[in-house]
Amino acid sequence: MEAATESPHGCGNSSDTEEDRDSDTDFGPSKLGTKEYWEATYQNELETFKDVGDVGEIWFGEESMTRVLRWMDKTTIPENAAILDIGTGNGAFLVELAKHGYKNLTGIDYSPASVELARNVLQAEDLTDVTVKEMDFLNCQGELKDFDVCIDKGTFDAISLNPENA
């Protein structure tokens, strides 16, 4: 019988085998962790939006957005709170936040095509007061310190899959 081991989260686990301990590496590098992948994806979605008005993929699904919005309502986040959407993609979540009455919205993404797509989507929804910036969240030099709420629906996942720096 193996002795209890301490996990990185401080919980002992007496059934922790060597195979279980190595499971942290089960998620290997992926193209989903590269800027090139996201730039190509959003460039295609931008072209599609310009051609037919389709905003493209809602990454992590609408249910993910709904859960965050329910949490925001439950926690009584004020409508004028400064809200940052990290890895804004096509800006769909910014649109939902605005529809729910939030007014001080900013989205950032490191993909120039994403930023252009999000701006186009917001303009089509007549949401001209929402800010979208091209910015790498990992290299923002303290520029993101004045937000009340920072939301990430999948950026951390993508960062974790980077083949060059997992």
Side-chain angles (χ1 to χ4, degrees):
M1 180 169 198
E2 292 186 42
T5 58
E6 190 73 18
S7 83
H9 305 292
C11 300
N13 182 348
S14 61
S15 64
D16 199 12
T17 66
E18 186 173 332
E19 184 177 312
D20 291 337
R21 287 188 297 273
D22 289 340
S23 68
D24 288 347
T25 59
D26 285 352
F27 296 105
S30 167
K31 65 183 180 180
L32 293 171
T34 66
K35 184 176 182 178
E36 294 77 20
Y37 172 81
W38 293 108
E39 182 61 15
T41 297
Y42 286 117
Q43 188 60 50
N44 287 337
E45 290 189 0
L46 175 61
E47 291 168 16
T48 301
F49 181 77
K50 287 179 177 179
D51 289 345
V52 296
D54 181 3
V55 300
E57 184 72 27
I58 307 290
W59 292 94
F60 296 93
E62 291 184 33
E63 176 56 29
S64 175
M65 291 191 298
T66 302
R67 280 193 312 268
V68 173
L69 288 165
R70 277 194 313 255
W71 171 83
M72 292 175 73
D73 287 341
K74 182 180 174 183
T75 343
T76 61
I77 304 294
E79 288 181 351
N80 64 345
I83 300 173
L84 176 66
D85 183 21
I86 302 167
T88 200
N90 59 12
F93 191 55
L94 293 171
V95 170
E96 289 304 309
L97 288 165
K99 286 180 179 178
H100 279 78
Y102 295 101
K103 299 173 180 15
N104 190 356
L105 303 172
T106 300
I108 62 167
D109 206 298
Y110 70 174
S111 162
S114 159
V115 170
E116 185 178 348
L117 174 59
R119 287 178 178 155
N120 279 269
V121 168
L122 291 161
Q123 184 176 22
E125 294 284 339
D126 199 30
L127 296 170
T128 56
D129 56 343
V130 177
T131 302
V132 181
K133 298 178 184 180
E134 182 183 334
M135 184 179 293
D136 183 343
F137 177 71
L138 296 177
N139 298 303
C140 60
Q141 308 301 327
E143 295 175 53
L144 303 175
K145 63 182 177 184
D146 294 326
F147 290 93
D148 300 309
V149 178
C150 298
I151 301 168
D152 162 38
K153 298 181 318 303
T155 300
F156 179 77
D157 296 30
I159 290 167
S160 299
L161 296 172
N162 185 319
E164 294 175 18
N165 189 10

